[in-house]
């Protein structure tokens, strides 16, 4: 049983670059970040904060993270209304 807010990351796809000499050392992945809260106000605060944190991050093997899209949704389960925001980001990293 996990409380709220809840943040999950899921890799949707990845792409390996190739050059004339073979496989490049830079790869690109598309990652979906799901944010779930019980209040819309908290969702409006967390979505931009998570996006800014990710797009400002540089470190380790990560070269750049760019936000591609953001979608809102609502899920009603067992009498609760859960607010969702899905962020799609592109991650360029060294393999």
């Amino acid at each position: 049983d996990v409380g709220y807010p809840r943040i999950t990351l899921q890799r949707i796809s990845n792409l390996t670059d190739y050059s004339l000499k073979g496989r490049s050392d830079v790869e690109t992945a598309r990652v979906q970040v799901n944010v779930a809260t019980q209040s819309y106000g908290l969702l409006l605060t967390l979505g931009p904060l998570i996006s800014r944190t990710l797009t400002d991050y540089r470190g380790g093997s990560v070269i750049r993270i760019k936000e591609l899209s953001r979608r809102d949704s609502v899920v009603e389960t067992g009498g609760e209304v859960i607010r969702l925001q899905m962020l799609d980001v592109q991650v360029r990293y060294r393999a």
Side-chain angles (χ1 to χ4, degrees):
D1 190 26
V2 180
Y4 292 96
R6 183 180 307 165
I7 302 168
T8 60
L9 286 87
Q10 178 180 349
R11 184 176 60 193
I12 304 300
S13 65
N14 76 324
L15 175 69
T16 302
D17 291 331
Y18 290 91
S19 69
L20 293 175
K21 296 180 182 179
R23 183 177 173 169
S24 174
D25 65 343
V26 176
E27 296 196 12
T28 302
R30 189 171 139 242
V31 176
Q32 182 172 319
V33 181
N34 298 312
V35 183
T37 66
Q38 292 178 313
S39 78
Y40 191 63
L42 183 58
L43 186 65
L44 290 177
T45 303
L46 283 178
L49 178 63
I50 292 167
S51 177
R52 188 171 40 255
T53 301
L54 289 173
T55 56
D56 288 348
Y57 180 76
R58 306 285 183 278
S61 62
V62 174
I63 299 167
R64 185 180 99 190
I65 300 174
K66 177 174 84 172
E67 183 178 327
L68 301 174
S69 68
R70 189 184 307 194
R71 299 175 309 281
D72 290 345
S73 182
V74 175
V75 175
E76 297 181 30
T77 60
E80 290 185 326
V81 176
I82 306 301
R83 314 273 191 231
L84 297 173
Q85 191 165 84
M86 288 82 65
L87 299 154
D88 285 333
V89 296
Q90 181 183 57
V91 181
R92 288 187 51 86
Y93 62 97
R94 285 180 180 63

